[in-house]
Amino acid sequence: MSDITIEAGLMNRAMQRVASLWRDLAWVVQRSPQPASDFAEEFRACLEARGGEVSARNRAAALAERYRSLDEAGRLGFLRALAAFDSDGMAVTRAIEKLSAAPDAALRAIALAGLRRALEPPRLKLLTAFAAIPDGVKFLVEMRAELLRLKDHEAPLQALETDLKGLLASWFDVGFLELRAIDWKSPAALLEKLVQYEAVHRIRTWRDLRNRLDSDRRCYAFFHPRMPDEPLIFVEVALERGMAASVQKLLDEKAPLQDAGQADTAVFYSINNCQRGLDGISFGNFLIKRVVELLAAEFPKLKTFCTLSPMPGFRAWLEKSARAGEALLTSEEEAALTTALGDGAVLDFANLITDRACLKQEALARAMAPILIRLGARYLIKEAPSGRAGRALDPVAHFHLSNGARVERLNWRADVSENGLRQSCGLMVNYLYDPASIENNHEAYVGDGQRAASGGLKRLIRA
């Protein structure tokens, strides 16, 4: 593989294969183009299994192929018709009346079963029919991605999205998933997907990718047996001596290769959810725990398992708080910044943190560093969304705290890229995964909203 920019060469081979398989199944259901009003009739024909199971499956394949061929307006019509394929209100009312009239426990149990059947919308059966066609599960994952995009503006689609999420959550239970290591010898199509789905630290060249898959690195992903070529979520790991404090150093292609056998720390530096249609169906915590177990078995000298994580909402929170007039700085910090600015400059902290050039000036950066680290600790450990006191404001912090990690250390100038300066003034955080404390930390956060943090960060906030 040559050292070239990758994005232009990415191809979605999987979708080509899906289209071919669907066409092979759907050819027996030849019909001329029909208006959107006929969707309901097609749904009924599919569910009634006219002509037997094979015909019903072919109809489902034809519907899926047709959906893929529609423009955005056509897909919206399809989804609206599918959402309207709901429970029979009269049947539900009759089932409720039978339950109310049931004279004893045995008849109540029978009536309850009847009510459950009446409440189940026919669209659930149709969604299940889609799952049975080749690559049908992938089709439904992509359909839910579209529903997530539309549902806030299309109230009728919300119930359909909820039904589909329930089905996908049961099909993508972690017990059904396969954990696989990805390395430089993995199929090129899979390596292309890593590039496509990497959203934390963009992969720019094949050399960059190879560096991330070298002998002192590891990459693991969850796969589903019905989507064997599509990673669901993957994690990139660096095997280091000590906690990493800079993502630029961690990803430096010119840095010398480390002896993985001598590493004492596994640094999880990038975790990526690959399928938008599986949002809200969590398996990231299981991925990290499984990878910790695998790495500990492969490298007995590993003692520390941590992340080097972004703080994507930190600068936005700082700016909002400063512009709202909140007292963020102590008098000593104000004096230090005023001195660093020099020439009688007036301190405007809100403007200061939005000027990324200021963070590159040495004197000002030295004055800013302890201030931003203190405020970063407060942001991660104390700040919460409005009305949700027990939840971390930062989404990455919420993810790791939910998984049982501890906020361990903040790192100044850990990400000096434009994105790092824009999102977090260059700060990154190490979350520590201590196998002995993961379960207790998880229960304390999820149950009581308690955020595990190192003693140093707690003292910093108190001070």
Side-chain angles (χ1 to χ4, degrees):
M1 297 182 180
S2 61
D3 182 17
I4 57 175
T5 301
I6 301 172
E7 281 187 274
L10 290 176
M11 296 183 299
N12 199 336
R13 296 183 179 91
M15 286 310 300
Q16 293 174 359
R17 182 167 67 89
V18 174
S20 174
L21 288 166
W22 281 344
R23 283 192 293 270
D24 289 345
L25 275 176
W27 72 272
V28 295
V29 195
Q30 297 292 340
R31 50 177 57 130
S32 57
Q34 298 173 19
S37 59
D38 287 347
F39 283 136
E41 176 58 31
E42 293 186 54
F43 294 161
R44 280 190 288 272
C46 186
L47 289 182
E48 290 169 7
R50 299 168 191 170
E53 258 185 56
V54 173
S55 294
R57 180 170 169 164
N58 289 342
R59 286 191 178 92
L63 275 172
E65 175 66 13
R66 182 178 175 196
Y67 176 81
R68 287 189 62 245
S69 69
L70 294 170
D71 59 15
E72 185 169 351
R75 289 189 179 192
L76 179 58
F78 184 103
L79 294 173
R80 284 171 173 164
L82 188 56
F85 220 54
D86 209 340
S87 308
D88 182 337
M90 293 299 295
V92 171
T93 299
R94 288 193 296 270
I96 292 173
E97 290 171 351
K98 284 185 179 180
L99 178 61
S100 300
D104 55 46
L107 291 176
R108 275 196 299 274
I110 295 171
L112 270 173
L115 177 58
R116 281 193 291 270
R117 286 193 299 273
L119 285 169
E120 185 173 290
R123 60 177 175 253
L124 275 178
K125 188 175 178 182
L126 191 56
L127 293 173
T128 305
F130 285 138
I133 65 178
D135 287 302
V137 172
K138 173 66 173 170
F139 168 70
L140 290 175
V141 170
E142 291 170 347
M143 177 184 283
R144 181 166 181 257
E146 196 135 17
L147 284 167
L148 288 171
R149 183 175 63 84
L150 295 170
K151 70 169 188 172
D152 290 341
H153 309 289
E154 289 278 338
L157 300 184
Q158 292 179 10
L160 173 60
E161 187 276 324
T162 299
D163 287 345
L164 185 49
K165 180 182 179 181
L167 287 176
L168 292 174
S170 63
W171 296 339
F172 283 84
D173 182 271
V174 70
F176 299 134
L177 305 185
E178 176 191 359
L179 181 64
R180 281 192 236 157
I182 300 174
D183 58 29
W184 188 244
K185 296 179 181 178
S186 297
L190 178 55
L191 297 183
E192 287 178 353
K193 286 188 171 69
L194 287 190
V195 178
Q196 178 185 350
Y197 292 134
E198 169 59 75
V200 182
H201 304 294
R202 183 181 173 190
I203 301 172
R204 299 182 181 276
T205 64
W206 286 115
R207 182 179 294 175
D208 183 7
L209 177 61
R210 184 159 194 167
N211 180 54
R212 301 187 192 205
L213 300 175
D214 219 327
S215 61
D216 58 350
R217 298 287 190 265
R218 291 293 184 272
C219 180
Y220 297 92
F222 267 144
F223 293 83
H224 190 277
R226 294 294 305 278
M227 294 170 57
D229 302 321
E230 283 284 342
L232 309 179
I233 183 172
F234 68 90
V235 60
E236 296 170 69
V237 188
L239 302 174
E240 298 281 311
R241 292 190 63 81
M243 284 189 188
S246 165
V247 73
Q248 275 74 38
K249 291 180 180 179
L250 199 66
L251 297 179
D252 184 2
E253 297 168 25
K254 298 178 182 178
L257 196 65
Q258 303 292 316
D259 182 352
Q262 298 303 312
D264 60 14
T265 304
V267 183
F268 299 76
Y269 64 89
S270 184
I271 301 172
N272 293 273
N273 287 301
C274 307
Q275 308 298 327
R276 175 78 172 91
L278 295 177
D279 280 7
I281 300 171
S282 177
F283 20 69
N285 55 338
F286 296 102
L287 175 65
I288 292 174
K289 291 173 186 176
R290 290 277 300 278
V291 170
V292 166
E293 293 171 1
L294 287 175
L295 291 173
E298 184 179 0
F299 301 103
K301 291 186 178 181
L302 288 178
K303 304 301 179 187
T304 303
F305 301 90
C306 68
T307 75
L308 182 61
S309 298
M311 300 164 56
F314 176 54
R315 193 202 58 76
W317 168 77
L318 266 183
E319 183 182 359
K320 181 180 178 182
S321 300
R323 296 199 185 284
E326 187 172 345
L328 296 174
L329 304 177
T330 66
S331 56
E332 292 83 359
E333 289 170 342
E334 288 182 357
L337 285 179
T338 301
T339 301
L341 286 168
D343 298 329
V346 177
L347 174 62
D348 185 336
F349 189 61
N351 285 335
L352 197 60
I353 57 179
T354 60
D355 185 357
R356 296 194 289 278
C358 291
L359 296 172
K360 298 178 182 180
Q361 299 175 17
E362 283 302 319
L364 189 54
R366 282 195 300 273
M368 289 281 281
I371 298 171
L372 291 176
I373 288 174
R374 178 183 66 79
L375 291 171
R378 169 183 159 182
Y379 168 71
L380 295 173
I381 300 171
K382 292 293 184 183
E383 295 300 318
S386 177
R388 306 186 70 179
R391 176 175 175 145
L393 179 60
D394 186 82
V396 178
H398 173 68
F399 172 80
H400 288 295
L401 291 167
S402 296
N403 293 342
R406 182 173 83 198
V407 188
E408 187 67 11
R409 186 180 75 182
L410 281 157
N411 302 290
W412 171 243
R413 283 185 167 172
D415 184 359
V416 293
S417 68
E418 284 301 307
N419 185 58
L421 294 173
R422 181 178 64 253
Q423 287 192 336
S424 61
C425 303
L427 263 65
M428 296 187 79
V429 55
N430 299 121
Y431 294 99
L432 181 69
Y433 279 87
D434 177 5
S437 306
I438 284 176
E439 291 304 324
N440 288 339
N441 291 344
H442 163 76
E443 291 176 7
Y445 179 71
V446 174
D448 302 321
Q450 297 178 20
R451 306 179 203 179
S454 65
L457 290 183
K458 288 179 178 178
R459 287 192 295 273
L460 194 59
I461 292 176
R462 287 197 296 269

